[in-house]
Amino acid sequence: MSLLAFDIGTSALKCTLLSNRVRVVASADYHYPTQNVPGGGAQQQPELWWEGVCKTCNDLISQDPEAMAAVEAIGVSGHMLGCLPLDTKGEPLYPAMIHSDRRAVSAYEKISREIGPDILYKRTGNVLDPRSSLCKVLWFKENQPALYSKTAVFTQSKDYITGRLRGQFNTTDFSDASHAQWIDLQQKEYLHD
């Protein structure tokens, strides 16, 4: 039995193959750029994350085909505070806004005025910031309304890769959803307009 782990990092996707005794059998990485755009934007092409998954898996097959054939579980982690809009087929509609993207200042100010950072903190357990995923979703609503209306789900990096592996793109866990300020911790439900 082997375990396969992916980590979608800020500069590279890392893939590690582990034995059932949690010993590293093989590893590979795939580097990709972050695009800096005017207004404080920092984004990545999610297709490059997937390309990294495919490339690193092929590398690990070359390193240890027997251990790769024995994979029984896959774990995926990735950078948080992102925002990737997907259509109903799981296709990206825009590059992924990563954790350092600060374009959503006006959304941050609107939430601060209309809801208040203290109330949002009590509901989500996280401090409001222009880099938060919630602010990024509202940035899309304000600045890309046609794209916003086509969006079936906003997701994080790890959930995009998990979705590509499983065909199900709405898999954000409570921890990530809370950090993104998308979920009410007490109710275990997504926040609504």
Side-chain angles (χ1 to χ4, degrees):
M1 177 182 103
S2 301
L3 308 171
L4 189 61
F6 295 104
D7 178 49
I8 304 113
T10 304
S11 62
L13 180 134
K14 281 116 12 227
C15 182
T16 304
L17 182 61
L18 304 157
S19 72
N20 61 349
R21 297 185 181 265
V22 196
R23 183 183 60 80
V24 174
V25 175
S27 64
D29 57 34
Y30 181 84
H31 293 265
Y32 40 74
T34 296
Q35 301 164 312
N36 294 307
V37 295
Q43 59 192 32
Q44 293 178 346
Q45 299 298 328
E47 296 85 357
L48 293 178
W49 301 335
W50 181 247
E51 191 174 298
V53 167
C54 297
K55 173 78 169 69
T56 58
C57 280
N58 284 333
D59 289 350
L60 296 186
I61 290 168
S62 296
Q63 292 178 48
D64 195 329
E66 188 175 305
M68 279 296 280
V71 169
E72 290 192 18
I74 299 173
V76 182
S77 67
H79 46 71
M80 298 170 81
L81 291 180
C83 188
L84 174 61
L86 302 176
D87 67 14
T88 57
K89 295 178 182 175
E91 294 294 325
L93 296 170
Y94 196 87
M97 297 171 84
I98 66 168
H99 55 87
S100 56
D101 192 301
R102 298 188 51 83
R103 283 179 275 186
V105 172
S106 67
Y108 163 78
E109 291 168 348
K110 182 177 182 176
I111 294 168
S112 293
R113 258 189 337 270
E114 295 181 12
I115 298 172
D118 292 340
I119 291 171
L120 195 62
Y121 179 79
K122 286 177 186 172
R123 291 189 71 192
T124 67
N126 284 279
V127 176
L128 183 64
D129 185 279
R131 296 169 296 171
S132 77
S133 299
L134 175 63
C135 291
K136 290 170 181 161
V137 168
L138 293 180
W139 181 88
F140 279 109
K141 188 174 185 179
E142 293 172 358
N143 295 280
Q144 300 280 337
L147 183 145
Y148 182 86
S149 67
K150 291 180 198 173
T151 301
V153 64
F154 288 96
T155 192
Q156 304 284 340
S157 60
K158 70 176 178 54
D159 301 311
Y160 175 70
I161 295 305
T162 302
R164 291 290 301 260
L165 292 169
R166 295 183 59 223
Q168 160 61 346
F169 288 91
N170 195 5
T171 60
T172 299
D173 59 76
F174 285 135
S175 175
D176 228 359
S178 166
H179 195 228
Q181 296 179 313
W182 291 345
I183 197 167
D184 184 303
L185 286 176
Q186 302 304 315
Q187 303 299 320
K188 303 284 192 289
E189 294 177 357
Y190 282 94
L191 301 172
H192 302 282
D193 290 343

